[in-house]
Amino acid sequence: MDTGDTIAFLKEREEKLGSPIRFKTYTPWFAKLGGERRDWGVFLYTDGKTIIYEDFDREPMILGIPIPGRKKKEEYVKLEASFPVSAIKAIDRVTRHDAEASLRKEYDVSRSAGIMSKALRKLVTKITLEDGSVYFLETMDHKKFKEMIETFQKEER
């Protein structure tokens, strides 16, 4: 996507939201407990009130280069959903291993990452909503993401 396409895409999303995008990021890995999973990531953005996440159709690639003649294994189904920032009950750091175990068991078995896990294992952000929904996502900057959510929640009060 060139810069012009990116700007047009973001403008379209702002029109859809009805307000400016205040934070956006790409999450290389994303899963919802009991729901969807994207191993190639999703685009996540917010106006400070609603968090929206969506993915995009992508061709099979190696190192970013399309593989000629390769067909996708399954039909692409667009993922686009949202939840209110005010519904976030907790944000935590857990190991990807615990997140994967939770997805396999279809209930949350993850624990806050300890000092050793933080040093030695791959970590993901866990978001728990008031209704019990649990999301796991690989954030580029967990601390910044958490601070941003806390700021938006304070603004809502």
Side-chain angles (χ1 to χ4, degrees):
M1 209 183 267
D2 73 12
T3 306
D5 289 343
T6 303
I7 292 169
F9 170 79
L10 293 173
K11 283 265 187 232
E12 179 184 311
R13 292 308 183 259
E14 286 180 338
E15 287 172 14
K16 194 174 181 180
L17 266 173
S19 59
I21 293 174
R22 295 180 59 193
F23 179 83
K24 60 188 177 302
T25 189
Y26 176 74
T27 65
W29 182 80
F30 174 92
K32 179 181 178 188
L33 192 61
E36 55 278 324
R37 174 186 176 138
R38 295 297 189 261
D39 292 313
W40 59 86
V42 301
F43 178 57
L44 184 137
Y45 55 100
T46 182
D47 62 354
K49 294 180 182 178
T50 304
I51 291 183
I52 300 97
Y53 55 92
E54 65 180 285
D55 72 344
F56 303 93
D57 193 11
R58 64 188 270 294
E59 297 296 319
M61 295 185 188
I62 293 180
L63 300 173
I65 302 167
I67 304 169
R70 284 289 297 251
K71 300 239 180 197
K72 291 181 229 173
K73 291 181 182 175
E74 45 191 70
E75 176 109 11
Y76 170 72
V77 177
K78 173 105 175 130
L79 168 66
E80 185 172 1
S82 65
F83 56 86
V85 170
S86 61
I88 298 173
K89 183 171 115 179
I91 299 175
D92 200 4
R93 206 72 165 138
V94 301
T95 65
R96 169 97 179 246
H97 178 269
D98 279 1
E100 295 278 2
S102 296
L103 296 172
R104 277 191 308 277
K105 294 180 182 205
E106 297 185 0
Y107 62 91
D108 187 18
V109 296
S110 65
R111 297 170 282 143
S112 291
I115 293 170
M116 290 300 286
S117 291
K118 287 179 180 176
L120 301 173
R121 310 216 49 198
K122 187 168 192 156
L123 301 177
V124 297
T125 298
K126 173 183 156 183
I127 299 172
T128 306
L129 302 185
E130 290 174 347
D131 70 0
S133 298
V134 176
Y135 294 85
F136 298 103
L137 49 131
E138 190 176 342
T139 53
M140 299 297 186
D141 185 342
H142 171 77
K143 186 176 177 180
K144 182 178 178 181
F145 178 77
K146 187 173 181 177
E147 287 171 356
M148 178 263 319
I149 294 296
E150 289 169 351
T151 298
F152 294 153
Q153 286 181 325
K154 284 178 188 169
E155 290 174 3
E156 291 257 324
R157 292 183 204 144

